[in-house]
Each structure stands twice: as C-alpha cells, then as structure tokens.
Amino acid sequence: MLSDKNITYKQFGLQAILIEWPAIINDEIFEDILVFKTKLLKRHSSKIVDVIQGYNSLTLVYNSLVSNFNEEVEALQTIYKTNSEPLKQVNLVWEIPVCYDLQFGIDLQEIALQSSLKVEEVIELHTNSIYKVYFIGFLPGFLYLGGLNEQLYFDRKPNPRLRVPKGAVAIGGKQTGIYPNISSGGWNIIGNTPIDFFDIEKENPCFAKPGDFIRFKAVSLKEYNEIVVQIKQNKYELINTLHHA
C-alpha cells in the first residue's frame, strides 16, 4: 500500500468523489488502486452505485448527495488504511489476432518512417510485448493497455478522424489499444482485429478485465478473413492462458 499522503480527494459534482494518485503509469499504483477498489466495494457498497477506475484514479458515484465532504473523506481514508488480504484475482493472457496489412494499418508507414524503422520492425515490436489491461473506458470494451515499447511512442494525430473502424488497433502516445466499435478517434491506426471486445448479449460483455494481459499475434489477410468467417459461424475460440507473475 502506498502512503495515503500520495492520494488526494476532490468533490466531483454533488454525488461523486474523485480520488487521485500520482499521475504516472506503474504497477504499484495500479495494485494500490485495485486493492482500495476491492475494499470500497466490500465495505462501502451500500453508499456507492458505481466505481470508475482510471490509470491514476477512482471516481466514486454515490447513491445520494455527498452532504459532508470532509466527513466522507475521513471515512474513505479509514477504509484505505484497513488491512486486507492480498488480491487473489486470476489474470489471463489473451491472444488477439491482428492483421497489419496496409489496407488496415493506414498509419503504419508513417510511424515506421518517423521512427526510422521498417514496417516489419514496427509490427515485430508491437507483437513482441505483452500489455497489461489497466482499465476499461472511453468506449465500452476499450482497453487501456500499458507496456508499449518506447520505440513506438507516437503522438496522437493533430486532427482526430471522425470515423475509426471497429477493431482498429492503434497507438496513442505511450499506449496502444483497440477500438471496439466505430468511433471518432485520434490514435494512429496500425492494424485491425476481427475480435469483438464488447458484446451486450453476453453475460460478461467484455472478456478482459483490469489486471489481465493482451498479446497481439500478427496474422495474414487470408487468416484474418478466415477468422471473420469463423466468428460469424460461432466457431472461433479466443485463446487465453494463465498469467504467471
């Protein structure tokens, strides 16, 4: 557990409190947020209707007005300091097929050019890493992934596209991610996956959770199209393995 001096509490409208950690992405802060979130859901759930997790924050949405902010913060700080058992969450590594063909990877050549790399080297760097799921947001099923190779850090586009296709695999700053549905977006698109990341018809609409990992696997255009057919026929089985810390 980090020192509670590293954490700040802010009123966030009439029915919410924003809890913030230092604005860096690392595993220690991620674990601290996850442990605190678990404690809150266990000990404070009667007052909270939603807990929204970010890289460095938790937003607590209350079921009524937060009438005494200072008193509520003291209650939260007490919960934070309580002892807890280590998290026993089972984390999986999900293998996601990605086609990096240039018809999908419309920014791939630009990234390669400005990084002084070959397109093949960009693909190799992107598929060689394993990415932690820090949280889900922006769109339902949009995974915020940490672990991008520094050689692939690339600024967001100055003018976002109005229509990014479903399944687009992209790079934005120090992150990589997948657009689960058609959306506007300013990240640099390097490929596409046929995998659905959000299906409202399923009991668990998004198969991955914070703490899981993503590994991208490069597939040819032919393999991509075969997977599309298999998904339509409900014959495609997504591969996952147990993650060992």
Side-chain angles (χ1 to χ4, degrees):
M1 186 173 72
L2 297 174
S3 167
D4 59 351
K5 294 180 181 178
N6 296 318
I7 303 172
T8 60
Y9 298 80
K10 298 175 182 175
Q11 185 108 32
F12 205 64
L14 299 177
Q15 288 187 229
I17 290 179
L18 173 65
I19 309 172
E20 291 184 307
W21 282 254
I24 52 177
I25 301 173
N26 70 31
D27 286 348
E28 185 180 11
I29 288 176
F30 172 77
E31 296 291 340
D32 202 54
I33 290 173
L34 213 55
V35 169
F36 195 12
K37 180 182 175 181
T38 303
K39 292 178 183 176
L40 289 167
L41 293 174
K42 185 176 181 180
R43 302 168 189 270
H44 219 48
S45 59
S46 62
K47 302 179 70 173
I48 298 171
V49 294
D50 197 8
V51 180
I52 304 166
Q53 183 176 345
Y55 274 122
N56 313 96
S57 66
L58 287 174
T59 302
L60 311 184
V61 182
Y62 287 76
N63 55 17
S64 61
L65 297 177
V66 180
S67 56
N68 190 325
F69 173 72
N70 292 331
E71 186 177 287
E72 185 58 29
V73 169
E74 287 182 12
L76 296 174
Q77 290 173 327
T78 298
I79 294 172
Y80 177 79
K81 293 174 183 175
T82 57
N83 293 325
S84 63
E85 295 180 358
L87 289 174
K88 296 180 180 178
Q89 179 172 291
V90 175
N91 296 318
L92 300 174
V93 182
W94 298 93
E95 184 178 289
I96 305 301
V98 177
C99 181
Y100 294 91
D101 188 277
L102 294 180
Q103 72 173 270
F104 295 131
I106 51 181
D107 295 319
L108 198 49
Q109 288 182 315
E110 182 180 352
I111 284 185
L113 180 64
Q114 296 204 24
S115 304
S116 300
L117 297 167
K118 297 177 181 176
V119 166
E120 294 76 13
E121 292 173 323
V122 172
I123 297 170
E124 185 176 356
L125 287 172
H126 193 252
T127 53
N128 277 350
S129 296
I130 181 171
Y131 302 95
K132 173 177 275 190
V133 180
Y134 277 85
F135 65 101
I136 302 170
F138 168 55
L139 295 170
F142 187 98
L143 312 180
Y144 280 84
L145 304 174
L148 184 67
N149 188 295
E150 290 184 10
Q151 293 183 76
L152 298 182
Y153 289 178
F154 211 79
D155 291 341
R156 294 172 172 82
K157 302 188 79 64
N159 297 307
R161 292 185 171 92
L162 295 178
R163 185 181 174 88
V164 174
K166 176 183 177 181
V169 177
I171 289 173
K174 299 179 181 179
Q175 306 167 83
T176 186
I178 310 106
Y179 286 85
N181 280 300
I182 296 171
S183 163
S184 58
W187 289 21
N188 304 277
I189 302 171
I190 60 172
N192 193 283
T193 179
I195 302 300
D196 285 325
F197 278 80
F198 188 80
D199 185 348
I200 194 65
E201 300 297 327
K202 294 184 176 178
E203 182 178 351
N204 183 19
C206 180
F207 56 83
K209 65 182 182 305
D212 279 355
F213 292 83
I214 298 294
R215 177 181 285 121
F216 295 115
K217 178 186 177 184
V219 297
S220 66
L221 186 57
K222 179 176 180 292
E223 291 171 317
Y224 175 95
N225 289 326
E226 290 172 350
I227 294 172
V228 169
V229 172
Q230 291 173 26
I231 289 175
K232 287 180 179 177
Q233 297 174 342
N234 290 320
K235 294 181 178 178
Y236 185 79
E237 189 168 341
L238 196 56
I239 297 173
N240 67 64
T241 55
L242 191 63
H243 178 262
H244 299 283

